[in-house]
Amino acid sequence: MRLSTLLVWATTALTVTSAQSVRGIQDLVKRRLPHHVDCFSFSLVNATQPYEQINDQYTVSTASNGTVLVEGNSLSALASGLHRYLTDVAHVDIYWFIGSRLHLAPARLPMLSAPLEGASIVPWRYHFNTVTFSYTSAFWTWEDWESQLDWMALRGVNLPLAWVGQEKILVEVFREIGLTDDEILTYLSGPAFQAWNRFGNIQGSWEGDLPFSWIDAQFELQKRIVKRMVELGMTPVLPSFTGFVPRGIERVFPDAMVVNGSRWNDFPTTYTNVTFLEPTDSRFAQLQKSFITKQTAAYGNVSSIYTLDQYNENDPYSGDPDYLRNITYNTWKSLKDADPAAIWLMQGWLFYSNSDFWTDTRVEAFLSGVEEDQDMLILDLFSESAPQWQRTKSYYGKPWIWCQLHDYGGNMGLYGQVENITVNPIEALSNSSSLVGFGLTMEGQEGNEIVYDLLLDQAWSKTPINTKDYFRDWVSSRYAGSKSIPEETYTAWDILRTTVYNNTNLTSATAVTKSIFELSPNISGLVNRSGHHPTTINYPQAALIQSWNLLYDATKAEPSLWDNQAFLYDMVDVTRQALANAFVPLYTDFVSTYLSGTKSQDEHTLITKGHKLTSLLSALDSVLSTNKHFSLSTWLSSSRSSASSASASNASSTTADFFSYDARNQITLWGPNGEINDYASKSWGGLVSSYYIPRWSIFIDYLKSTSAVAYNTTALNEKLLDFSLKWQMEESKDVGVKVDLQDVLGRVHAEWKDVFMA
Ligand SMILES: *[C@@H]1O[C@H](CO)[C@@H](O)[C@H](O)[C@H]1NC(C)=O
Ligand SMILES: *[C@@H]1O[C@H](CO)[C@@H](O)[C@H](O)[C@H]1NC(C)=O
Ligand SMILES: *[C@@H]1O[C@H](CO)[C@@H](O)[C@H](O)[C@H]1NC(C)=O
Ligand SMILES: *[C@@H]1O[C@H](CO)[C@@H](O)[C@H](O)[C@H]1NC(C)=O
Ligand SMILES: *[C@@H]1O[C@H](CO)[C@@H](O)[C@H](O)[C@H]1NC(C)=O
Ligand SMILES: *[C@@H]1O[C@H](CO)[C@@H](O)[C@H](O)[C@H]1NC(C)=O
Ligand SMILES: *[C@@H]1O[C@H](CO)[C@@H](O)[C@H](O)[C@H]1NC(C)=O
Ligand SMILES: *[C@@H]1O[C@H](CO)[C@@H](O)[C@H](O)[C@H]1NC(C)=O
Ligand SMILES: *[C@@H]1O[C@H](CO)[C@@H](O)[C@H](O)[C@H]1NC(C)=O
Ligand SMILES: *[C@@H]1O[C@H](CO)[C@@H](O)[C@H](O)[C@H]1NC(C)=O
Ligand SMILES: *[C@@H]1O[C@H](CO)[C@@H](O)[C@H](O)[C@H]1NC(C)=O
Ligand SMILES: *[C@@H]1O[C@H](CO)[C@@H](O)[C@H](O)[C@H]1NC(C)=O
């Protein structure tokens, strides 16, 4: 039953390249293991033809001449087989932030006594949320992309969203119908906010216009990305025309059927209520065809899977089921008209986020407009915590992908649901015949990499992965390059596995946690927030501290860990969490002192306790500042470089200021006046010292000078906003990485003994 459904679907789906060559995988080896190029040999066996792909399979063995022979039925299978050998046998891997550690593989690669065999249990492994392109990769260079794409290829991803640089195509489509450059540029959003512009939540920019030179540069970047994806055996999910247009549409098409989208998160109307050309208007199909034709000309015919979201946190103009069906029917027709093989990929987020609007009747009507089930592919975006596939009866038969969202806004708490991401996708696979893939849809790529790896590996195991063994193996590759890997590191990670990474209480937290010091200071409402920006701490603090001590002690057994980038990253991350958690009782104590005391008698106590808050944050800042991956200046300098890479003229410094503003605004106020304040907050060195500490100081000073009865929320908020607005415009100084972690931790440990006491 299940297999035959899949077959029907898969035989009509498009799978890229005509004459497949293993060159892309060999090139990956050249890039990452230059001294081992001759040690590997790749061979496509029974290769899936385009339109034929079901599941991927590989076999890795040692050939009689000693090379590691990787055989598989697709390029993605070859990359996955290679990865399996590298992690399980050579114990090396490539990671976010840290980069590739594959070159640390032993000079003489271990022989295999028995072949390694693997088979995927789903044909698709998807990667990226639409907003990852703003939270994580907004300012990425080609080198960053190369690293990311190798990471994805090795982990078996074969269906990535390719969402960079589409403004170039859009600009051409808009110019073609007579919109002026001014009308177009005032519609486009800044580099850190493009995702929301692309699906109609926002329009325009609250500081500057995108330079055409940057739009061009992003387009060139996208061409390289798409090409590399194809070489690595991936089917890129390409942009398409959504219907969102500049307001000038009514000038060029006075009779156009347009409506305004809804207001998003209290943004001023100028920046939201985006104009939407109704798919029932014939001009919709015209623009779709123009968009897809231009895009195919630019990238070649590399994929027929198109991403298209029209109602992301943006309710349709009408809830009439007939209207909703007309929307999808005409949108679908426009895609098929432009590409007869088109498959419409849609994020299912709306059905969850706007569930009041999306009643079962409306969901069914909306999905039924796409009359061929296999012409649609739905991302069940938040499957680990808020799956929608059960209530929508597997999207009424449309193929769908089980996705782990895990993180909102690139927030940085240690967090995981190891039970849910191993057990539940397997259960879903046996319960839903239209489930065709597993995927990752994090808003931002942050830490917690192990739980992303875990779900992608689950796509190759019929039974839920045993996490105890998995974590152990993961640590072996993670700390490659050290002379030895002390047992303490394994124990530390095993404790994290059963505590920090095993949240099962979804009432308390459904995603990565946020530290309260990153929130706008307040006497109430900060601690124990639940939901998807939770501030709860869902494990015993003692377990975290025990892991910290084990990691710290491991460096005594193996001092070379202090030179190991992966270890340094983890040590900073665990210390970050320990200090962030320690902030909570200090804050609670400070506020209760304030609320209980009379001003005069408690001023001294308040001063002391307030000082403790800011000095804990200073200690945290000093730890974070040892590592560029936890550093504000890395984000800011990438924004400035992105600006300068695009414009050689003297306009570049204005552009750099604009991009730097955008970068700052996204992680703090998120909007001209804090419309979704602190949504994408970060625990970064330089940000703690220049932003969070001053904010807490304003709060502390205010409480010192104001009795509890006179506490005035409006007055305090004004002071805080005033500070935040000024901070947006500050000049960025590249402070770089200051001192080494070992020194800093020694000092912080001595100063905050109680925090680290196991
Ligand atoms: C390739 O297909 C043939 C014929 O179906 C089969 O006998 C053979 O075992 C397959 N080889 C691999 C490596 O799967
Ligand atoms: C080693 O053997 C493999 C498998 O037979 C073959 O693909 C590869 O070309 C050989 N390598 C060399 C250097 O002969
Ligand atoms: C859409 O918003 C614009 C700008 O605020 C306004 O002028 C226009 O009347 C609105 N259109 C509709 C149909 O509400
Ligand atoms: C913007 O959308 C909101 C609903 O979300 C609506 O009340 C308001 O009238 C809209 N404004 C315009 C100008 O379209
Ligand atoms: C839906 O489309 C049909 C056919 O074009 C049309 O007759 C009908 O009025 C439309 N319904 C709504 C609610 O727009
Ligand atoms: C790409 O080629 C396939 C196979 O011939 C075809 O079905 C598809 O429509 C083409 N895509 C585009 C955008 O023309
Ligand atoms: C799968 O179906 C079984 C039997 O109907 C049910 O007990 C289980 O809860 C379902 N699992 C999921 C994840 O929906
Ligand atoms: C996670 O917690 C649940 C419930 O508390 C428990 O049943 C399960 O064994 C735990 N799993 C791990 C890996 O610790
Ligand atoms: C997994 O997530 C579902 C929500 O989809 C929830 O009902 C269930 O309790 C979770 N299970 C665990 C072990 O966390
Ligand atoms: C889950 O979390 C909620 C809210 O934090 C709490 O009230 C409840 O007791 C927790 N449930 C369990 C089983 O721990
Ligand atoms: C604190 O939170 C309350 C609601 O919880 C909110 O009304 C207020 O504006 C916030 N800010 C300050 C500074 O009190
Ligand atoms: C609170 O502060 C605001 C802004 O400074 C001020 O307008 C208002 O009068 C104050 N409220 C009270 C009750 O003092």
Side-chain angles (χ1 to χ4, degrees), residues 505 507-508 530 536:
N505 187 347
T507 312
S508 170
S530 56
T536 49

Side-chain angles (χ1 to χ4, degrees), residues 163 235 278 348 379 387 409 486 508 622 652 710:
W163 227 40
T235 302
E278 296 268 41
L379 302 176
S508 170
S622 67
S652 75

Side-chain angles (χ1 to χ4, degrees), residues 710 712-716 718:
N712 179 335
T713 285
T714 314
L716 176 54
E718 275 171 8

Side-chain angles (χ1 to χ4, degrees), residues 243-546:
F244 295 106
V245 287
R247 293 230 193 276
I249 193 86
E250 291 180 85
R251 184 184 61 75
V252 297
F253 295 154
D255 60 337
M257 292 164 62
V258 293
V259 293
N260 284 344
S262 53
R263 162 168 301 180
W264 190 67
N265 283 309
D266 286 336
F267 271 75
T269 297
T270 350
Y271 299 128
T272 182
N273 287 104
V274 183
T275 310
F276 181 65
L277 177 63
E278 296 268 41
T280 39
D281 187 312
S282 63
R283 263 76 58 110
F284 186 96
Q286 175 197 333
L287 298 195
Q288 188 70 276
K289 191 158 201 159
S290 168
F291 189 102
I292 288 180
T293 306
K294 288 176 174 48
Q295 181 166 266
T296 311
Y299 311 148
N301 182 347
V302 294
S303 167
S304 285
I305 304 188
Y306 300 96
T307 181
L308 206 165
D309 292 299
Q310 295 164 318
Y311 299 116
N312 180 78
E313 300 179 5
N314 177 15
D315 285 342
Y317 178 69
S318 157
D320 177 354
D322 219 29
Y323 173 84
L324 296 172
R325 189 178 190 285
N326 280 356
I327 295 287
T328 37
Y329 177 81
N330 287 288
T331 303
W332 170 58
K333 283 287 173 193
S334 80
L335 285 170
K336 295 307 258 190
D337 189 36
D339 177 355
I343 292 173
W344 174 359
L345 180 134
M346 191 183 85
Q347 300 193 138
W349 176 252
L350 70 174
F351 303 136
Y352 164 67
S353 71
N354 296 34
S355 57
D356 286 351
F357 177 89
W358 289 104
T359 60
D360 292 354
T361 311
R362 285 174 179 166
V363 174
E364 188 169 11
F366 185 72
L367 295 179
S368 74
V370 179
E371 292 178 348
E372 299 294 334
D373 283 346
Q374 66 271 22
D375 282 352
M376 207 169 198
L377 188 48
I378 293 177
L379 302 176
D380 191 72
L381 214 71
F382 194 15
S383 306
E384 80 279 25
S385 292
Q388 299 299 301
W389 61 273
Q390 289 117 323
R391 90 147 164 119
T392 58
K393 302 193 171 65
S394 290
Y395 296 98
Y396 301 98
K398 300 278 187 289
W400 66 279
I401 297 181
W402 198 103
C403 299
Q404 173 180 215
L405 203 159
H406 188 72
D407 175 83
Y408 288 87
N411 288 170
M412 294 166 66
L414 296 180
Y415 180 84
Q417 291 171 223
V418 288
E419 294 288 338
N420 228 315
I421 59 173
T422 51
V423 175
N424 288 50
I426 297 302
E427 265 193 37
L429 198 53
S430 61
N431 285 21
S432 173
S433 61
S434 62
L435 173 51
V436 296
F438 295 170
L440 301 179
T441 49
M442 61 274 118
E443 285 200 343
Q445 286 182 186
E446 25 88 44
N448 300 308
E449 193 165 339
I450 194 164
V451 298
Y452 296 102
D453 285 351
L454 183 56
L455 180 61
L456 289 177
D457 278 327
Q458 189 61 61
W460 299 76
S461 169
K462 286 184 186 145
T463 53
I465 288 173
N466 173 330
T467 57
K468 189 168 182 64
D469 297 342
Y470 188 90
F471 270 58
R472 196 172 174 90
D473 291 346
W474 194 87
V475 171
S476 294
S477 305
R478 181 77 169 173
Y479 300 142
S482 298
K483 280 192 226 75
S484 67
I485 300 177
E487 195 55 32
E488 286 91 336
T489 60
Y490 294 105
T491 313
W493 276 94
D494 197 56
I495 292 169
L496 295 176
R497 176 180 73 91
T498 59
T499 54
V500 171
Y501 286 113
N502 186 34
N503 179 48
T504 56
N505 187 347
L506 302 183
T507 312
S508 170
T510 58
V512 161
T513 55
K514 210 177 177 76
S515 301
I516 64 162
F517 74 80
E518 295 172 8
L519 293 168
S520 194
N522 205 323
I523 52 168
S524 64
L526 302 189
V527 297
N528 288 326
R529 286 191 188 175
S530 56
H532 67 257
H533 280 288
T535 59
T536 49
I537 297 167
N538 303 285
Y539 46 84
Q541 170 79 349
L544 179 72
I545 296 305
Q546 206 187 341

